[in-house]
Amino acid sequence: MDSGLTTRPHGDADASPGAIILARHGEPALSRKVRLTAAGYREFWARYEVGGIVPGQAPPDRLRRFVAECGVIVSSTRLRAIESARTLVGEQVFDHHDVLIEAPLPPPNFPSWIKLSPRIWGFVARLWWWYFDHHEGQETRAEAEARADRAAALLIGLASGGGNVVVLAHGFFNHLVGRALKRRGWRLAESEGYKYWSMRRFERG
């Protein structure tokens, strides 16, 4: 399948901006086949945030082609994002940016008899964080949205010379960056959703 991208000369100040491809990292090396209390989920998320991906994963061929054609590849500073990018570029040097890390997921303080899977806890925690400003002293929704706007500005700058930019980062924060890109005049040209290794491609205008 053709990737649909045209290689542009990177660094040409007169070129039209390249595309920005927001990709989610690969599958993390932390089993979700457990049921946890709120306290247990806090511990689970802390481990998730510092862990890498399941070894031996093969990124989709299409994502490999996007990377092969891009001018710049960057990742967040989380290990799962760095390892995902490393599977695509080998020993090639690429930048890691704190501004691209995932937004926090502190769970609401439900009673200890309530035990949920990490997937359900993630949904509930994001709901409480988004609508009820439940952040437990961590980054708030407003702060995360402001950070997403800074991330969008960074990526637009990287794409300004005409080369496509591939970002290996995180599902929800990629969503926030996409919203910020749209506010800055970029459009979603293609989406594979938010599953592991999925991509969403944005173009100017």
Side-chain angles (χ1 to χ4, degrees), residues 8-49:
R8 297 180 173 93
H10 181 56
D12 182 353
D14 296 326
S16 60
I20 295 174
I21 298 97
L22 303 178
R24 191 182 181 194
H25 57 75
E27 181 181 356
L30 185 61
S31 174
R32 295 191 173 195
K33 296 179 181 180
V34 292
R35 294 177 68 83
L36 304 166
T37 64
Y41 182 71
R42 286 188 186 89
E43 295 175 2
F44 175 92
W45 181 255
R47 294 196 305 274
Y48 182 90
E49 279 285 76

Side-chain angles (χ1 to χ4, degrees), residues 154-168:
L154 168 69
L155 300 178
I156 290 170
L158 292 175
S160 63
N164 299 322
V165 178
V166 175
V167 182
L168 268 296

